[in-house]
Amino acid sequence: MAPKTSETLLTPAEEATIDSCANHHLTRNPVSATSVADFDFDRDLTLEESKTPEACKNVAPRGPFADHYTNLASASGGARVLFATDDWFATAENLLEDGPPRFDPEAFCEQGKVLDGWETRRRRQAGHDWCLIQLPKRSEISALELDTAHFTGNNVPRISLEICDLPAAELSGMVAKLPGAYERLLHGGVRGTGRLPGEVAAASEAVERSGAWRELLPETPLSPGFEPTRMHYVRLETPATGNLVRVNYYPDGGVARLRCWGTSLGDVKPATTPLYMPVQTCDACTVVAHSSVSDPSELPSRQPTEHRELSSLDQGGIGGACSNKHYGEPWRLIQPTLGRDMGDGWETARHPSRPGILRRQRGSTLLDTPLSDWAVVRLGGSGSRTGVAKIIVDTKHFRGNYPESVRIEGCHSLPCGETEAPEAAGGYDPSERGSGEWFSLVPRSRTSPDAEHVFERSRGQLENADRPVTHVRVSIFPDGGLSRLRVYC
């Protein structure tokens, strides 16, 4: 049902609010005036009084909707003008200002009288003036408020509003077709300018083809901006939803302020682009992004295996020494569960000495950096005498701070006697660092965000896979975080 401009659409409380205001106007018929004398003021202001700040403000009363809704057509709230047919006397951005319209009787510019609102030229081309406003969020509009303050001989005689609800991708496509839209978003409207007929036609076509427009306010008369007639309040019979509002002037003129009262329904965000995956499944490893599986049970780390995860805390694994534990300790790497969030892993601080510009190694996809961090994990029991069968490096939740690459090494270092092995406190022993000769298990390899990286002996993806191993050292380049490290033997 189309909204109507009728007093009966206001609640009794809103009627009382309006009746208590000195400045209001609700009518179905336009008001015409040839001079200020046509209105019954208590008394005429003298010339000097008309120049005082109080007389120039024409302060708007607090309307009936302000205590119940938010003004979604507010520049301070993020509303902005995407297009206007004409900004000759005053730009359309003024419609969205929060403060009261101001008036300086002596303010003139090259275009003419300076007024605080959106005022177009006296139209001399076919058609009518209009502008397009993007609301800061997708909104449900329940009421409207229009103020013609100070536009006493040049107000818009009739006006209508339309609303459209566009997804982000369609909104972006439409804006790209609006002449001057990008410049306007960057710099705002420019007084003394107007769009050529061809540009207006192109904008009209882009807007009309963009989506289904719904009538927000039918063609409605507006009264001049004298104190008794400036305010126009409208409650909609049915709230309207959208994120774009088209304001139609019939045919030209000026309006000081527009208020679209309602409630926000949330941001209109563009679809997220997939994470950049520097490395995907290849001969070197299998990469499974967490976002690629609908059920976590499909992940490699959740699949049944004939090998034991000796690094796990459940198998007696110990998180040992590390170069940096600013955001998490190594024992978190060897929990049997999937990481809960980014805090449930081992993450290092950013190296303060990192170079200002990162460079790639010649002939390689790896960064040319001497910086790295490392952590040691002691395998459960006596380690493995038959070597390592599989290693999984998991960067779950680490989307903006995963390592550029990892290197994994092993060593065989048993204490003199099993009873002399250091006790682990809470699964973490800071003295456990391994000793003896470190040998390569996984050469330095690129990693991807939020993914499991699987290196398997059966696929020839591990080096020295048959050598006995008691400790594993993971090095990350240049820094960053890992969610889990799983070593299967």
Side-chain angles (χ1 to χ4, degrees):
M1 181 179 294
K4 300 176 183 178
T5 55
S6 169
E7 295 92 334
T8 60
L9 297 182
L10 297 172
T11 66
E14 291 167 346
E15 289 276 16
T17 302
I18 292 177
D19 290 339
S20 68
C21 299
N23 311 325
H24 72 274
H25 189 65
L26 280 169
T27 181
R28 293 186 181 87
N29 302 309
V31 175
S32 177
T34 56
S35 72
V36 176
D38 289 342
F39 292 87
D40 184 19
F41 292 104
D42 292 338
R43 67 180 180 86
D44 292 333
L45 296 176
T46 66
L47 177 62
E48 290 304 315
E49 287 175 328
S50 69
K51 296 180 181 180
T52 62
E54 291 73 18
C56 296
K57 284 181 180 178
N58 201 8
V59 178
R62 186 172 179 82
F65 312 118
D67 292 331
H68 307 286
Y69 301 107
T70 300
N71 174 26
L72 283 310
S74 166
S76 64
R80 47 193 179 177
V81 177
L82 300 177
F83 180 84
T85 56
D86 191 273
D87 293 285
W88 186 261
F89 290 112
T91 64
E93 279 76 8
N94 291 329
L95 288 174
L96 311 179
E97 291 299 319
D98 292 324
R102 299 187 64 85
F103 177 77
D104 183 348
E106 297 182 350
F108 287 84
C109 64
E110 182 180 353
Q111 288 74 38
K113 185 74 188 75
V114 176
L115 286 178
D116 187 5
W118 177 37
E119 184 183 5
T120 66
R121 284 175 280 195
R122 300 185 188 221
R123 194 166 183 83
R124 299 297 184 253
Q125 299 287 338
H128 65 91
D129 286 314
W130 57 275
C131 74
L132 189 64
I133 297 170
Q134 180 188 1
L135 303 180
K137 299 178 184 295
R138 186 169 180 264
S139 307
E140 185 179 77
I141 306 301
S142 298
L144 302 169
E145 180 179 318
L146 291 152
D147 185 358
T148 57
H150 310 302
F151 290 94
T152 56
N154 52 352
N155 64 285
V156 175
R158 302 180 75 82
I159 196 171
S160 77
L161 278 75
E162 301 167 85
I163 191 168
C164 186
D165 194 11
L166 278 188
E170 295 179 23
L171 176 60
S172 298
M174 184 204 67
V175 172
K177 298 175 183 177
L178 297 177
Y182 290 143
E183 290 82 358
R184 187 160 201 139
L185 288 172
L186 288 172
H187 308 295
V190 179
R191 184 168 57 195
T193 63
R195 288 293 159 186
L196 298 174
E199 294 176 318
V200 174
S204 295
E205 181 178 3
V207 169
E208 289 166 5
R209 290 187 175 184
S210 61
W213 288 84
R214 175 186 172 186
E215 188 178 71
L216 186 61
L217 178 71
E219 190 171 330
T220 301
L222 293 183
S223 297
F226 297 107
E227 285 287 340
T229 61
R230 57 179 283 202
M231 301 306 302
H232 305 72
Y233 302 108
V234 182
R235 170 175 291 278
L236 307 185
E237 286 183 345
T238 304
T241 299
N243 56 348
L244 285 176
V245 171
R246 176 169 168 166
V247 180
N248 299 299
Y249 281 6
Y250 299 110
D252 53 38
V255 172
R257 295 289 188 269
L258 167 67
R259 308 275 189 252
C260 293
W261 296 103
T263 54
S264 170
L265 300 179
D267 292 325
V268 180
K269 296 182 178 180
T272 57
T273 56
L275 284 172
Y276 169 57
M277 305 293 284
V279 60
Q280 300 185 19
T281 297
C282 58
D283 291 341
C285 70
T286 300
V287 180
V288 179
H290 284 276
S291 60
S292 68
V293 299
S294 57
D295 186 342
S297 65
E298 301 173 12
L299 292 167
S301 65
R302 304 293 92 182
Q303 298 297 311
T305 176
E306 60 181 304
H307 305 288
R308 290 191 302 161
E309 186 184 341
L310 288 185
S311 56
S312 172
L313 289 172
D314 286 353
Q315 295 290 326
I318 295 175
C322 65
S323 60
N324 186 287
K325 53 182 177 180
H326 194 86
Y327 295 111
E329 299 183 7
W331 70 266
R332 295 185 180 276
L333 287 173
I334 54 177
Q335 299 175 89
T337 58
L338 292 174
R340 296 188 308 273
D341 49 41
M342 202 175 68
D344 188 22
W346 170 59
E347 182 183 357
T348 70
R350 302 190 193 206
H351 282 288
S353 58
R354 59 192 184 279
I357 298 176
L358 304 181
R359 304 188 186 280
R360 194 172 62 179
Q361 291 179 0
R362 185 182 298 273
S364 171
T365 61
L366 299 173
L367 290 178
D368 186 7
T369 175
L371 302 175
S372 68
D373 281 308
W374 55 267
V376 172
V377 171
R378 179 186 172 189
L379 302 183
S382 301
S384 172
R385 298 185 182 278
T386 57
V388 175
K390 181 170 63 175
I391 295 176
I392 296 180
V393 176
D394 190 358
T395 56
K396 183 176 176 62
H397 301 301
F398 288 88
R399 300 182 180 92
N401 49 357
Y402 63 98
E404 180 263 352
S405 55
V406 298
R407 181 177 65 210
I408 301 175
E409 301 165 288
C411 78
H412 185 260
S413 174
L414 282 175
C416 297
E418 293 295 329
T419 58
E420 298 176 14
E423 294 287 335
Y428 173 65
D429 177 12
S431 67
E432 191 67 55
R433 58 177 62 246
S435 61
E437 176 191 359
W438 289 99
F439 51 86
S440 174
L441 291 172
V442 176
R444 184 177 167 189
S445 303
R446 288 296 304 267
T447 60
S448 285
D450 196 41
E452 290 191 351
H453 307 71
V454 186
F455 304 88
E456 298 181 82
R457 179 169 58 192
S458 61
R459 294 175 180 265
Q461 297 167 336
L462 292 175
E463 298 179 342
N464 301 302
D466 295 327
R467 294 183 61 171
V469 59
T470 57
H471 295 73
V472 169
R473 180 170 66 188
V474 57
S475 299
I476 58 175
F477 298 83
D479 47 40
L482 299 176
S483 178
R484 297 290 185 265
L485 173 66
R486 306 182 189 277
V487 181
Y488 301 85
C489 301

